[in-house]
Amino acid sequence: SKGRGGKIQRGGYWLRTLLHRKTPKMPPFSSSSSSCYSHRHLEDVHEDSFRVHYRISAHSRPDALSIVDELRYEQTVELPEHLVPRDSWIGRNVVGEIVALEEEAGEGGEAGKGRKSGGAVGKDKKTRFVAKVTYRIETSGKELPQLINVVFGNTSIKENVMVIDIDFGKNVESSFRGPRFGVLGLRKLLNVKYGPLLCTALKPMGTSADELAEMAFAFALGGIDIIKDDHGLANQVYAPFEERVTKCAQAVRRANDITGRNCLYAPCLNAPAHLVLKRAEFAKRVGCGAVLVLPGITGLDACRALSEDENFNLPIIAHPAISGAMLGGGSKNEVRGFSHGVLLGLLPRLAGCDATIFPNFGGRFGFSKDECKDIQNACTSILGTKPAIFPSPGGGMTLEKIKSIRQFYGGQDVLLLIGGSLYSYSNDLTANARHFLQMSGRIDAYGPNERPIDGSNHDSTASLRSPPPQGRSEWSSPITSISNRETTRSRFETIFAASPAHLKQRQSPSPSPLCDDKTQVTPTKQKNRYDVDDHDQRNLLQKTPSHHAPMSPSSSEVDELREKNAALEKKLDELTSLVAKLANSAADAKSSAANHRRATDCPLEGNHSKVLIKKDKKFMWNRVEREMYKMDGGSFKGCSRVELIGKRGESTNFHVRYFEVAPGGWTTLEHHQHEHVVVIVRGSGYIQLGSEAYAMQVGDVGYTAPGDIHQLRCTEEATDNFGFICIVSAERDRPIEVDASEHLKYCEHVSGPHLEDTIRKSLQAQVKHRAAQKKLKNPDGSYAEGSACEWRPPGKK
């Protein structure tokens, strides 16, 4: 044991034996270059190690080094260095190893421009450093509580130290199962392929179980994806846990039966340690679709236990209650605790949570944009084989802020959490939920079983699937088809009864000139004439023998038919008049055009108003040449470009281009800091945005945010080229090509087993194409191939 002054009181021989035993051979650390992606499982971190990034606030570099040196002993052996020498076995294999200590870059990003700690003046002014310390996996025992203890245990009590990131070696990361569902798994469970997910909370504390169940039913009926308990709902007398959970689960299930959706109810598992897992099992048994946990109170390892339980198999949502006490940063920019990304993103994800809730910037809490972005990055960056999880910004968010929230988080893989604003919008919670759905940009306004007032069947899955076959604007609906058929019958009956031929037939027994000498066409009774058999589709008119006794209509019937005939003739006159007016208008327009200057006569170059005339039946414009998409043919296939506006002297702050991709082709997989918009005008294809691919057809619009990896491509099976207008800023940075093989790894890590096969095959094809094109060099050193624009290297005709 250690006495005062750090002296050994007894057991000295035992300690010396441990310190100096032979070190086992360990595989060497690799130092391969890192990729362009933000990998948390880095190549230069040994597979049996994990690396912690600490922010240190100190007066000088020697002071910072002293803090880090003390830290690595404190986090492992908790003995001073003179008792555990660095060259001893424990010193080499148990004590953490300092691998880097650098001044933290300032706001300008310059190395050596260390950030100053807030609130310090004069001699107390401190500089910030980033230290990286590596620990062996054996120190954690491959258990999550001890892993967190090694990362920050005792040092968390000290000042001027903050955990800002953790890199995991392969064997460390694989020791924990992680999220069972993640982004794609949760989308599949909810049957929501595109758009943000929506979440709200049942509140307030003090509400009865019956009233909470009514709220849950109303929200589920309106289309909310996840309805969670407020984190303050536990096992109070107002709404005891088992009663509340049973009734709310039944209410949500009843709403799902009506809508055809799969809304999830997530009860709060804020319970004593011995009841957390039992309440989770109860929630599963009564039909809950997910659970809400409070890792700051019940522990991250409770999340891990639920995630690794094969029988539980429900999504886990993390809530940040009491976690704020462990955070650094904030409005005072303090160097203490954990960074927001580590505590509210990385660790919940490692523990198996599928979504993590946190206060969004601009709400009633003090999180900054950078801190929220740090959490999002921790949720989505590569973490070994762990799938990405949903960041869920909340904390006083309102319906009016949805647009800005979507823009900040990228619009897609985010779980929007709105509570109070949703309750106060109106007294109709179902209508409020539908408004929330609309404001978030979701297109599945109605569930598969719902039918709005207009009579059409708004199938949410149909609205999210691939585009309909070419030439059809929408998928046919049996309900709509029957309705249209009945309308057609009604119109046919009116026209037939008022027609001159029918009137003449009713007045004369002679056969119709349209019939042969054996049969004539006569209307049957209304019931028989318009009944349509679903099997043989019998004719609307039935044939009767020519010797059938002629009808003798009464004078009142004749008068009625004459009135209908007169009404029909009036309608025909109106139609004829309308057609004549249209013809005259066309003639006037032609005459007027003849007296005006033709667009083809306008100079093409220069900053003046102009019109570019599209060629008939071609996606080409008069006097505008089609150009090579890019010089490097290895980065694309079958693409061409037409510069429409912006490159011929126009003073626009944007450029308008037309791009076309041939079947089986693709544009460059790239990213850049300027944004652009594409509008599809020809054919159909796909746009790759990050790890997701979205089907697009004529009329669809796509937006690429700054920094997002993107690509457009046309499938091999396409019967037409994929053409789109692209609008981009005139002042823009140069795109950076992304290696298709690296992006495939990124997609596989983010999506896991849910990665679409079309994405995998396309990226694999691009890798092969790039390799093949490197063998075909042009005289100018570029790699290029023939494309849809029939480009040829300079100097060749």
Side-chain angles (χ1 to χ4, degrees):
S1 65
K2 183 175 67 173
R4 294 185 182 274
K7 296 181 179 179
I8 300 295
Q9 294 180 331
R10 58 181 179 270
Y13 174 79
W14 170 83
L15 181 58
R16 287 193 298 273
T17 302
L18 282 177
L19 294 178
H20 297 287
R21 63 181 173 179
K22 187 176 181 181
T23 303
K25 293 184 178 180
M26 301 294 292
F29 285 73
S30 63
S31 58
S32 59
S33 59
S34 59
S35 71
C36 63
Y37 294 101
S38 175
H39 289 265
R40 292 192 179 277
H41 162 37
L42 301 179
E43 293 297 330
D44 59 346
V45 177
H46 189 265
E47 62 182 11
D48 288 327
S49 301
F50 57 97
R51 178 180 301 168
V52 184
H53 299 226
Y54 297 100
R55 176 174 291 151
I56 308 295
S57 177
H59 290 99
S60 64
R61 182 182 178 85
D63 286 347
L65 181 59
S66 176
I67 292 174
V68 180
D69 209 19
E70 181 181 336
L71 175 155
R72 68 193 186 104
Y73 277 86
E74 186 70 47
Q75 289 309 111
T76 50
V77 296
E78 199 181 348
L79 285 172
E81 183 180 342
H82 73 271
L83 294 178
V84 186
R86 300 186 184 191
D87 60 350
S88 65
W89 185 90
I90 292 180
R92 293 192 305 270
N93 295 279
V94 178
V95 177
E97 178 187 2
I98 302 173
V99 295
L101 177 64
E102 302 290 343
E103 285 191 33
E104 189 171 15
E107 294 183 359
E110 298 181 25
K113 301 289 184 179
R115 295 176 57 187
K116 307 299 180 182
S117 297
V121 292
K123 294 182 179 180
D124 293 329
K125 185 176 291 186
K126 295 181 178 180
T127 300
R128 294 185 176 184
F129 299 83
V130 174
K132 299 179 182 180
V133 180
T134 298
Y135 302 96
R136 295 297 179 103
I137 188 175
E138 291 83 4
T139 62
S140 71
K142 296 186 179 181
E143 294 177 345
L144 187 58
Q146 175 58 14
L147 174 69
I148 298 172
N149 189 29
V150 173
V151 168
F152 207 31
N154 280 358
T155 304
S156 67
I157 308 172
K158 297 187 176 184
E159 297 179 338
N160 301 319
V161 181
M162 179 179 179
V163 176
I164 59 174
D165 204 354
I166 308 173
D167 304 321
F168 297 103
K170 179 180 178 182
N171 292 341
V172 181
E173 176 268 327
S174 62
S175 299
F176 308 100
R177 190 192 191 288
R180 185 172 288 273
F181 294 86
V183 169
L184 293 185
L186 201 50
R187 286 192 178 280
K188 184 177 181 180
L189 185 63
L190 290 164
N191 197 23
V192 179
K193 189 172 183 181
Y194 304 122
L197 300 187
L198 311 187
C199 181
T200 192
L202 301 177
K203 56 178 64 178
M205 185 190 301
T207 307
S208 70
D210 288 329
E211 291 172 316
L212 292 170
E214 289 178 8
M215 295 177 189
F217 176 77
F219 283 135
L221 202 62
I224 300 296
D225 298 305
I226 299 175
I227 301 169
K228 73 175 187 69
D229 280 350
D230 193 33
H231 73 281
L233 300 184
N235 192 35
Q236 298 96 332
V237 65
Y238 331 109
F241 180 83
E242 292 191 0
E243 178 188 358
R244 179 183 79 248
V245 172
T246 301
K247 290 182 176 180
C248 288
Q250 290 174 346
V252 170
R253 186 162 57 248
R254 185 158 44 93
N256 286 341
D257 290 340
I258 295 173
T259 65
R261 297 182 188 273
N262 191 31
C263 170
L264 307 179
Y265 166 57
C268 180
L269 301 183
N270 182 17
H274 68 288
L275 293 178
V276 173
L277 299 184
K278 290 182 179 179
R279 288 187 181 175
E281 292 170 359
F282 178 83
K284 168 81 172 183
R285 190 162 60 250
V286 298
C288 294
V291 292
L292 179 75
V293 294
L294 282 58
I297 297 176
T298 58
L300 279 166
D301 205 54
C303 304
R304 180 207 56 78
L306 290 174
S307 174
E308 294 181 357
D309 186 346
E310 297 292 340
N311 295 323
F312 182 65
N313 195 31
L314 290 181
I316 302 168
I317 304 170
H319 189 281
I322 219 171
S323 297
M326 307 179 215
L327 287 172
S331 59
K332 295 183 180 180
N333 202 15
E334 295 178 292
V335 179
R336 59 175 295 275
F338 289 93
S339 71
H340 292 63
V342 171
L343 186 63
L344 301 180
L346 177 60
L347 292 180
R349 185 178 172 194
L350 187 70
C353 297
D354 301 284
T356 178
I357 297 170
F358 58 91
N360 192 47
F361 63 91
R364 65 179 187 269
F365 300 94
F367 282 25
S368 68
K369 287 187 176 181
D370 288 342
E371 289 165 344
C372 292
K373 183 60 71 172
D374 187 30
I375 297 171
Q376 183 189 26
N377 290 338
C379 291
T380 57
S381 61
I382 292 178
L383 179 59
T385 58
K386 307 290 186 290
I389 66 174
F390 275 102
S392 182
M397 290 299 97
T398 63
L399 293 168
E400 293 74 20
K401 294 181 179 179
I402 290 177
K403 182 178 180 181
S404 62
I405 296 173
R406 291 185 60 210
Q407 290 175 343
F408 182 79
Y409 293 100
Q412 287 292 330
D413 293 336
V414 59
L415 176 62
L416 301 176
L417 172 58
I418 294 183
S421 176
L422 197 61
Y423 282 92
S424 60
Y425 187 74
S426 78
N427 292 328
D428 188 340
L429 296 185
T430 298
N432 296 355
R434 290 198 190 282
H435 180 65
F436 186 10
L437 200 69
Q438 181 182 14
M439 292 285 288
S440 66
R442 286 270 291 275
I443 59 176
D444 53 336
Y446 294 90
N449 297 345
E450 295 179 284
R451 180 181 177 186
I453 297 175
D454 61 7
S456 59
N457 183 20
H458 290 241
D459 186 336
S460 63
T461 57
S463 64
L464 295 175
R465 56 192 167 194
S466 301
Q470 192 73 20
R472 290 177 59 185
S473 60
E474 60 183 4
W475 294 91
S476 60
S477 164
I479 297 176
T480 306
S481 300
I482 294 172
S483 175
N484 291 342
R485 202 159 58 225
E486 292 172 349
T487 304
T488 303
R489 296 175 189 169
S490 177
R491 291 176 180 172
F492 176 79
E493 178 182 6
T494 303
I495 295 173
F496 182 85
S499 66
H502 183 212
L503 180 60
K504 183 176 181 181
Q505 179 182 330
R506 294 286 300 270
Q507 293 174 330
S508 172
S510 59
S512 168
L514 298 177
C515 303
D516 56 24
D517 58 350
K518 295 183 180 179
T519 63
Q520 66 178 16
V521 179
T522 61
T524 66
K525 293 180 181 180
Q526 181 174 342
K527 179 179 179 181
N528 295 330
R529 180 162 34 128
Y530 299 119
D531 282 345
V532 178
D533 187 276
D534 289 333
H535 299 287
D536 58 13
Q537 297 291 325
R538 71 180 66 169
N539 295 325
L540 295 177
L541 299 179
Q542 296 179 345
K543 295 183 178 182
T544 58
S546 60
H547 61 268
H548 191 279
M551 292 188 253
S552 299
S554 64
S555 58
S556 61
E557 289 179 321
V558 172
D559 292 339
E560 181 183 357
L561 291 171
R562 282 175 175 168
E563 289 177 3
K564 290 183 178 180
N565 185 46
L568 180 62
E569 289 178 347
K570 182 179 180 180
K571 291 291 184 183
L572 291 173
D573 289 341
E574 292 175 355
L575 181 61
T576 302
S577 176
L578 179 61
V579 171
K581 288 181 180 180
L582 291 174
N584 292 335
S585 297
D588 292 342
K590 185 176 181 179
S591 175
S592 176
N595 297 325
H596 287 76
R597 189 177 185 185
R598 296 284 295 173
T600 52
D601 298 331
C602 297
L604 197 60
E605 303 288 339
N607 187 24
H608 55 80
S609 300
K610 62 189 72 171
V611 176
L612 305 182
I613 301 297
K614 178 180 171 296
K615 294 182 179 180
D616 187 31
K617 298 182 180 180
K618 293 182 179 180
F619 280 86
M620 290 291 294
W621 287 261
N622 292 339
R623 301 180 297 149
V624 181
E625 295 184 359
R626 181 172 292 189
E627 305 175 22
M628 184 66 176
Y629 170 67
K630 288 181 181 179
M631 291 295 291
D632 182 4
S635 69
F636 69 93
K637 181 179 179 182
C639 303
S640 63
R641 182 181 81 247
V642 178
E643 295 286 348
L644 296 175
I645 299 296
K647 287 291 189 71
R648 299 182 182 86
E650 299 90 351
S651 61
T652 56
N653 57 6
F654 58 86
H655 288 177
V656 180
R657 300 90 54 84
Y658 172 73
F659 292 92
E660 200 167 272
V661 185
W666 56 79
T667 63
T668 302
L669 184 68
E670 62 188 17
H671 65 86
H672 41 67
Q673 289 306 307
H674 60 272
E675 61 277 307
H676 61 59
V677 174
V678 295
V679 183
I680 311 306
V681 297
R682 179 179 186 180
S684 62
Y686 287 85
I687 183 170
Q688 182 85 31
L689 296 175
S691 62
E692 294 282 349
Y694 303 92
M696 301 188 77
Q697 60 178 343
V698 173
D700 289 344
V701 179
Y703 167 71
T704 302
D708 283 357
I709 296 174
H710 59 279
Q711 179 184 62
L712 289 100
R713 51 181 179 262
C714 187
T715 63
E716 291 278 1
E717 300 77 18
T719 58
D720 194 7
N721 289 348
F722 182 36
F724 52 92
I725 298 291
C726 179
I727 304 169
V728 68
S729 174
E731 298 293 332
R732 55 188 184 270
D733 60 308
R734 181 178 293 276
I736 300 174
E737 182 184 354
V738 175
D739 188 291
S741 61
E742 287 293 326
H743 193 60
L744 176 58
K745 294 178 184 178
Y746 170 75
C747 293
E748 289 175 340
H749 278 87
V750 172
S751 303
H754 305 287
L755 179 64
E756 295 181 18
D757 195 48
T758 53
I759 297 178
R760 179 180 288 103
K761 288 182 178 179
S762 176
L763 292 174
Q764 290 173 343
Q766 293 172 44
V767 173
K768 294 180 181 179
H769 176 75
R770 164 60 81 180
Q773 288 303 306
K774 286 185 178 180
K775 301 177 182 179
L776 304 175
K777 279 193 176 182
N778 289 316
D780 61 357
S782 66
Y783 303 112
E785 62 166 6
S787 71
C789 63
E790 299 179 357
W791 173 85
R792 293 178 176 82
K796 293 187 178 182
K797 297 184 179 179

